[in-house]
Amino acid sequence: MSKFLIIYSSVHGQTLKVTNYLADKLAQQGHQVTTASIDDVPALDEFDKLVLGASIRHGKHNPSVYDFITEHQTVLEQKPSSFFSVSLVARKPAKNTPETNPYMQAFLAKSQWQPKLLEVFGGNLNYQGYNAMDRNIIRFIMWITKGPTDAHTNVEYTDWQKVDRYADQLSAL
């Protein structure tokens, strides 16, 4: 079995939730799994397989994701590795694959690292969990994209069966 490191960049917690779920699934398969915030990553050479997960905030991945990739590109390319992205746009069937998700495509265009295994997951829309500025920005984006705008909306769009399939793909890396 493998030693996995799952690194996450999460703003409102859904990417961390996906990370923890993946860690549990991989551990159930017999793997040793460590999770770490992108702000506190252990030495990568201690692990067999690397996974990086990042959320979208205001249409972009956190700049620290690209800084991490630049700093660790050699190791990311030498070891079996994968990237997943969590966003509200992935709630839409036409935008919930790496090939059709605009944020994944923007990531691939900007990143020097081109992992072979990619995935996208729908996020969680919880207006009450956002500060006033984020709530208004996200409501405006939802209005434009014909999503829910009620200020009391709390909907999880993550497809957990899809996360299960991704865990199996990670195991097979």
Side-chain angles (χ1 to χ4, degrees):
M1 293 288 130
S2 300
K3 285 181 70 174
F4 275 88
L5 174 60
I6 307 175
I7 304 152
Y8 62 89
S9 172
S10 190
V11 176
H12 296 290
Q14 194 67 13
T15 303
L16 175 58
K17 186 174 181 179
V18 171
T19 295
N20 289 334
Y21 185 92
L22 283 170
D24 288 344
K25 286 294 179 182
L26 291 167
Q28 289 170 16
Q29 295 175 7
H31 300 287
Q32 184 179 346
V33 184
T34 300
T35 62
S37 166
I38 198 158
D39 299 320
D40 190 25
V41 178
L44 301 184
D45 57 354
E46 299 175 17
F47 301 92
D48 304 318
K49 298 178 182 182
L50 306 171
V51 180
L52 176 58
S55 62
I56 294 294
R57 182 165 190 238
H58 304 311
K60 297 180 179 162
H61 290 104
N62 188 315
S64 66
V65 171
Y66 299 102
D67 294 342
F68 174 83
I69 291 167
T70 299
E71 184 177 341
H72 300 285
Q73 183 176 351
T74 301
V75 177
L76 288 167
E77 290 174 349
Q78 290 173 346
K79 295 183 182 247
S81 59
S82 179
F83 177 75
F84 71 90
S85 181
V86 177
S87 68
L88 288 172
V89 77
R91 77 188 187 281
K92 295 182 169 193
K95 295 183 180 180
N96 71 357
T97 69
E99 297 78 21
T100 61
N101 184 279
Y103 299 126
M104 181 62 80
Q105 291 304 305
F107 168 82
L108 292 171
K110 185 173 182 178
S111 174
Q112 298 172 348
W113 173 49
Q114 301 290 300
K116 290 179 179 52
L117 181 58
L118 302 165
E119 193 53 88
V120 295
F121 302 112
N124 186 54
L125 178 61
N126 179 8
Y127 287 120
Q128 296 304 305
Y130 306 142
N131 64 37
M133 184 181 78
D134 283 350
R135 183 173 29 256
N136 287 327
I137 290 169
I138 294 169
R139 284 181 76 198
F140 179 68
I141 292 167
M142 285 294 156
W143 178 75
I144 291 171
T145 63
K146 300 183 180 10
T149 57
D150 183 287
H152 296 93
T153 299
N154 185 357
V155 178
E156 185 175 69
Y157 291 105
T158 305
D159 178 344
W160 296 105
Q161 290 179 339
K162 187 177 184 182
V163 181
D164 287 340
R165 290 189 300 272
Y166 180 60
D168 291 340
Q169 292 174 310
L170 290 172
S171 187
L173 270 177

